[in-house]
Amino acid sequence: VRDEIAITLTGVGAGRKVVERPRHLIRVLSKVEDGAVIKETAPLRIEPIAGYSPAIGQLVGMLTYARSTTLAAVEDLSVAELDHLHDEESNSIGALLAHIAAVERSYQVLTFEQRMLSPQENELLSTALKLGPNGRRSLRGQPLEHYLEELTAVRRRTLEMLASRDDEWLQGTVT
């Protein structure tokens, strides 16, 4: 296929062949063909989404696209792959997925509830927010489904909260 880049992964996931098309073609649908993960692409235009005001719908489209590319990148990873540390200073893929969920939850509190995290919330989210040595020790041993459930739950709340807001709210300042 014209304009494809074939990447053979080394290290974690070695032997997995990934074929990607240029990033300007960005609507991603993954499928497996002859042992390779093929990312089918088509042009993507961010447009308003039914159920949301126009600008918030565009924001939801961007959030959805970003999440779909993240999920496509981690699809079918094993616990060992999710826990892999490239070196002693890096974060695992699993830790980064936990971090994404924790950051989104924190922004929900700051943006929708207009308050700082409570001491209990801070304690609950702290490891995933800060990562580092504690995250390398604690954020491991979970299957992909664990992280996907966290990501899904937090995104569901974000979408519910965004659906209840309008474009004027989006343009406002958080106090």
Side-chain angles (χ1 to χ4, degrees), residues 57-172:
Q58 289 177 315
L59 174 61
V60 168
M62 292 176 220
L63 289 169
T64 301
Y65 169 71
R67 180 58 49 85
S68 72
T69 60
T70 300
L71 297 180
V74 301
E75 187 176 10
D76 298 325
L77 290 184
S78 67
V79 172
E81 291 169 318
L82 291 166
D83 288 350
H84 175 76
L85 294 170
H86 179 70
D87 58 44
E88 70 261 2
E89 297 296 316
S90 64
N91 293 295
S92 68
I93 294 169
L96 293 172
L97 293 172
H99 179 73
I100 292 168
V103 167
E104 186 166 340
R105 177 61 189 127
S106 297
Y107 276 108
Q108 288 173 350
V109 170
L110 292 168
T111 304
F112 301 129
E113 300 174 30
Q114 296 189 0
R115 63 177 179 83
M116 301 299 289
L117 293 174
S118 70
Q120 296 81 9
E121 290 166 324
N122 194 48
E123 184 177 335
L124 180 68
L125 299 173
S126 179
T127 300
L129 286 172
K130 294 178 182 177
L131 297 173
N134 194 30
R136 284 188 282 283
R137 280 190 305 277
S138 304
L139 301 171
R140 50 190 312 101
Q142 298 293 334
L144 181 59
E145 293 74 29
H146 167 81
Y147 300 108
L148 296 181
E149 287 171 9
E150 284 185 22
L151 290 164
T152 299
V154 75
R155 180 52 54 88
R156 184 179 304 117
R157 178 158 164 70
T158 296
L159 295 177
E160 289 169 0
M161 298 306 292
L162 287 172
S164 70
R165 305 302 199 280
D166 61 18
D167 290 350
E168 185 177 326
W169 171 86
L170 185 63
Q171 300 303 319

Side-chain angles (χ1 to χ4, degrees), residues 31-42:
K31 66 179 182 178
V32 176
E33 194 172 284
D34 297 326
V37 176
I38 307 294
K39 293 183 178 178
E40 296 289 330
T41 57

